[in-house]
Amino acid sequence: MRARTRLAIGAIGAVAAAGLLTGCGDAGSSGTDAPQQGASGAGCAPVAGQQLIALQDDKKLQNADNVIPAVNSKAVNPQLIAALDKVSAALDTPKLIQLNKAVNDDRKTPKVAAEEFASANNVTAGIAKGPGGEIVVGAGNFAESQTLGELYRIALTAAGYQVKVQQIGNRELYEPALEKGEVQVVPEYAATMAEFLNTKANGPNAQPVSSPDINNTVTALKAEGDKVGITFGAPAAAQNQNAFAVTQAFADKYGVRTLSELAAKCSGNATVLGGPPECQQRPFCKPGLEKTYGLSVGSFSSLDQGGPLTKNGLRTGAISVGLIFSSDGAFASS
């Protein structure tokens, strides 16, 4: 299971990794449920194809999970924050997709992919020297976090620090280490981290503090961080959040580019939604599509959380639409 589990699919609550969902289904747990009650109309049957695209979340179902640097407050100084903010300024979602493709598909190491990106995007240009010293950048146990950690290493090295990237594991491990100063910097995700800190302090049923608005989400995140000695830099335009994907061939056949268009044109019995088993109950997955967009699907295929089963289901024509992460390398143009 990929460690970057999601707030957006799950109930609000503090669990492992970069999000708030536990359990994504065991390997081999795929299967298609019977047609859903209430599905009407013809729907849109799956269309096989290799290229995947993310449908635009035009009604803002998902919260703003922009990449953002998290820093132990005792390590903060203007030069350090400015160096990390240079990374944020260089990153948008298409570039993050390409970085993930470089690592996951092209088999480059996170270090090499980060160095190539930093060089191509002039990440270190104009970085001022800070007071120096040793910095440990903590990374989650998934490739994207490790690549972001390497980008932070490059920027902080240019600012005069001696930097080591250390893979720690999931958020339940690295967030306490960040609070204690055992690591000084961690790449984070705004909405997911805001809810992690919120529920850690106020319990699993705490009123959510994040939203689809990145400015409001970061304001709430910084307020939660202040309570535990964590400071946040500027958010990147890059996001890693739940995305509903279709094949390019499906989008072309049915004329859909947004989730609103999917609901309008594809509600009905032939439409198959694929994702982790929890998708059927979680408010930012199937129920959210129903409530926010009015989408009615004919059946649900229990696969995995943004992993190979879901992507293969799309490409082979087993499912019409599937839940994967918005920064997945599968969205890179062929």
Side-chain angles (χ1 to χ4, degrees):
M1 180 179 74
R2 183 177 172 184
R4 167 86 176 109
T5 48
R6 305 298 307 156
L7 156 74
I9 188 174
I12 306 299
V15 299
L20 307 172
L21 170 75
T22 60
C24 303
D26 297 328
S29 65
S30 61
T32 301
D33 294 344
Q36 304 293 308
Q37 294 296 321
S40 60
C44 296
V47 181
Q50 287 301 302
Q51 182 62 51
L52 305 184
I53 66 168
L55 297 176
Q56 181 185 349
D57 182 15
D58 52 308
K59 292 184 179 178
K60 304 296 184 183
L61 171 60
Q62 308 299 336
N63 287 339
D65 245 347
N66 298 58
V67 174
I68 191 168
V71 186
N72 177 276
S73 296
K74 293 181 180 178
V76 167
N77 62 67
Q79 294 84 8
L80 181 144
I81 293 295
L84 295 171
D85 287 352
K86 282 280 291 184
V87 176
S88 292
L91 276 174
D92 59 18
T93 302
K95 289 178 180 178
L96 187 55
I97 288 170
Q98 291 295 334
L99 274 169
N100 286 328
K101 178 180 182 295
V103 175
N104 296 324
D105 298 338
D106 301 338
R107 302 303 177 189
K108 296 179 181 179
T109 66
K111 183 174 184 291
V112 167
E115 288 172 347
E116 292 178 353
F117 178 88
S119 176
N121 291 273
N122 298 314
V123 167
T124 60
I127 289 181
K129 296 289 184 181
E134 295 184 353
I135 293 286
V136 178
V137 176
N141 55 353
F142 60 103
E144 181 175 293
S145 183
Q146 294 157 29
T147 304
L148 292 169
E150 293 291 347
L151 283 173
Y152 289 171
R153 174 189 61 80
I154 292 165
L156 291 171
T157 299
Y161 293 92
Q162 296 173 298
V163 189
K164 177 176 71 174
V165 178
Q166 180 178 332
Q167 180 180 326
I168 296 176
N170 60 38
R171 176 179 283 111
E172 287 185 334
L173 295 175
Y174 69 67
E175 188 277 333
L178 184 63
E179 283 192 32
K180 296 173 185 176
E182 295 169 353
V183 299
Q184 286 74 49
V185 178
V186 173
E188 261 302 347
Y189 301 87
T192 302
M193 183 58 161
E195 296 307 340
F196 182 91
L197 294 175
N198 176 33
T199 55
K200 183 179 179 181
N202 302 309
N205 297 318
Q207 184 70 24
V209 297
S210 61
S211 76
D213 183 276
I214 184 56
N215 293 323
N216 292 340
T217 297
V218 169
T219 296
L221 173 63
K222 289 183 175 180
E224 295 297 326
D226 287 344
K227 300 173 186 177
V228 293
I230 299 175
T231 298
F232 295 91
Q239 294 183 326
N240 182 337
Q241 59 194 33
N242 288 345
F244 292 96
V246 298
T247 64
Q248 182 71 60
F250 179 99
D252 291 343
K253 177 176 180 178
Y254 297 112
V256 296
R257 294 295 185 275
T258 70
L259 289 173
S260 289
E261 290 172 343
L262 180 75
K265 298 180 180 182
C266 293
S267 287
N269 290 323
T271 302
V272 183
L273 173 64
E278 297 89 343
C279 178
Q280 297 183 87
Q281 289 81 40
R282 300 300 167 86
F284 291 92
C285 201
K286 184 174 179 287
L289 290 174
E290 292 168 346
K291 180 178 180 180
T292 301
Y293 288 99
L295 176 66
S296 175
V297 301
S299 58
F300 178 82
S301 183
S302 181
L303 299 170
D304 57 11
Q305 186 193 4
L309 294 178
T310 301
K311 286 180 277 191
N312 187 62
L314 288 164
R315 287 173 169 147
T316 60
I319 60 175
S320 306
V321 57
L323 182 82
I324 67 176
F325 297 112
S326 62
S327 61
D328 198 295
F331 291 130
S333 299
S334 301

